[in-house]
Amino acid sequence: MGIPGGFTTYQAAFDHYFRRAKSGMGIQFFQDHAGSANLTTTQVSGLFAYETRLNKALVLRGGMSAGSVQRRVDPGRLVFGDQIENGESGVSAERFALDGAKYFDAGAGVLVYGKSFWAGLSSSHINRPNQ
């Protein structure tokens, strides 16, 4: 709380399991504001999962997410070296894309479970987006 421009984060998600299809589908919304320059990250993703029984004791569940991310910053809240050198807080010579960065983001995971154990593996940002 004592850090200027601390984090403010919102997240909402909805998912539903379709028993006949042995699948789940959902949507996730995430937004984060951080720092004194108001670094904002907004993400909307679709989610899908499928479940199958491997044998009498083991179940396999795999899932994936795919979505769009937008990141932006308010350059008017930043101070650059050329502003300090000139002894004034005027406009900097630095240039920013006003719409920020937009990119596709994907993740996937797998889970194996039984009555008394579970094991899983997941990976986010598997497409290595250029932020």
Side-chain angles (χ1 to χ4, degrees), residues 15 28 36 40 45 48 67 86-87 96 98 100 117 123-125 127:
D15 61 70
Q28 180 177 349
S36 58
T40 302
S45 299
F48 175 78
N86 294 334
F96 286 86
L98 295 178
F117 85 98
S123 179
S124 297
H125 317 298
N127 58 315

Side-chain angles (χ1 to χ4, degrees), residues 37-38 40 70-77 91 94-102:
N38 199 27
T40 302
Q70 179 179 14
R71 297 191 86 187
R72 57 187 161 83
V73 66
D74 182 357
R77 293 184 174 189
V91 178
E94 299 290 333
R95 298 291 168 230
F96 286 86
L98 295 178
D99 60 347
K102 296 176 188 173

Side-chain angles (χ1 to χ4, degrees), residues 33-54:
H33 303 277
S36 58
N38 199 27
L39 173 63
T40 302
T41 303
T42 304
Q43 180 173 3
V44 178
S45 299
L47 312 170
F48 175 78
Y50 181 77
E51 180 178 277
T52 188
R53 185 163 288 283
L54 296 174

Side-chain angles (χ1 to χ4, degrees), residues 22-24 48-52 59-64 108-112:
K22 298 180 186 177
S23 299
F48 175 78
Y50 181 77
E51 180 178 277
T52 188
V59 178
L60 174 74
R61 182 175 291 177
M64 56 201 246
V110 65
L111 174 71
V112 176

Side-chain angles (χ1 to χ4, degrees), residues 10-14 27-32 41-45:
Y10 304 95
Q11 183 168 349
F14 174 79
I27 188 165
Q28 180 177 349
F29 171 80
F30 170 86
Q31 187 170 62
D32 182 61
T41 303
T42 304
Q43 180 173 3
V44 178
S45 299

